Amino acid sequence: QVQLIESGGGSVQAGGSLRLSCAASGRAFSSYAMGWFRQAPGKEREFVARISRLGRSTGYSDAVKGRFTISRDNVQNTVILQMNSLKPEDTAVYYCAADPVATFRTAYSDYDYWGRGTQVTVSL
């Protein structure tokens, strides 16, 4: 069992930056690959980024590649999503999720544990 709590959301103007954090507690954090997803009103939850168990590999959706960076600290049990050059279309609730399987996966149904989300709003 893993408990996840996101923080760092807020409102920002287009072109700005935000840094999301996900704090994990429970079973060994390094046993899980970690992902970030987002869900905008009226849309399905979509994959944003993923990082492997030891942080050696990462992957991003095309929508955020080059603007967002995912990282993790297995001592502090945290996952960070650094978001730069934000656009209005990045507005969504952002969720942190844990996947016990090492294979790179992007479907939200593959992830076993979820946080409650943090709102990100980007205005023009």
Side-chain angles (χ1 to χ4, degrees), residues 5 17 49 56 79 89:
I5 301 176
S17 298
R56 291 172 181 167
V79 182
E89 51 263 45

Side-chain angles (χ1 to χ4, degrees), residues 65-85:
K65 198 174 295 182
R67 300 188 296 121
F68 291 10
T69 303
I70 188 171
S71 60
R72 68 187 296 163
D73 184 333
N74 285 351
V75 174
Q76 298 292 327
N77 287 1
T78 58
V79 182
I80 302 297
L81 186 68
Q82 178 66 44
M83 306 187 296
N84 298 328
S85 302

Side-chain angles (χ1 to χ4, degrees), residues 13-33:
Q13 288 191 322
S17 298
L18 282 173
R19 185 174 183 264
L20 304 184
S21 295
C22 173
S25 60
R27 263 195 71 195
F29 178 63
S30 60
S31 300
Y32 296 89

Side-chain angles (χ1 to χ4, degrees), residues 31-106:
S31 300
Y32 296 89
M34 298 298 296
W36 285 95
F37 288 75
R38 66 187 183 186
Q39 188 166 17
K43 294 189 176 182
E44 289 192 355
R45 192 168 298 191
E46 66 172 357
F47 170 78
V48 174
R50 176 182 169 110
I51 189 165
S52 61
R53 294 169 175 171
L54 299 182
R56 291 172 181 167
S57 63
T58 58
Y60 301 89
S61 69
D62 288 342
V64 307
K65 198 174 295 182
R67 300 188 296 121
F68 291 10
T69 303
I70 188 171
S71 60
R72 68 187 296 163
D73 184 333
N74 285 351
V75 174
Q76 298 292 327
N77 287 1
T78 58
V79 182
I80 302 297
L81 186 68
Q82 178 66 44
M83 306 187 296
N84 298 328
S85 302
L86 282 161
K87 304 175 181 180
E89 51 263 45
D90 295 319
T91 295
V93 177
Y94 283 71
Y95 298 90
C96 174
D99 182 2
V101 175
T103 305
F104 186 86
R105 308 198 293 183
T106 61

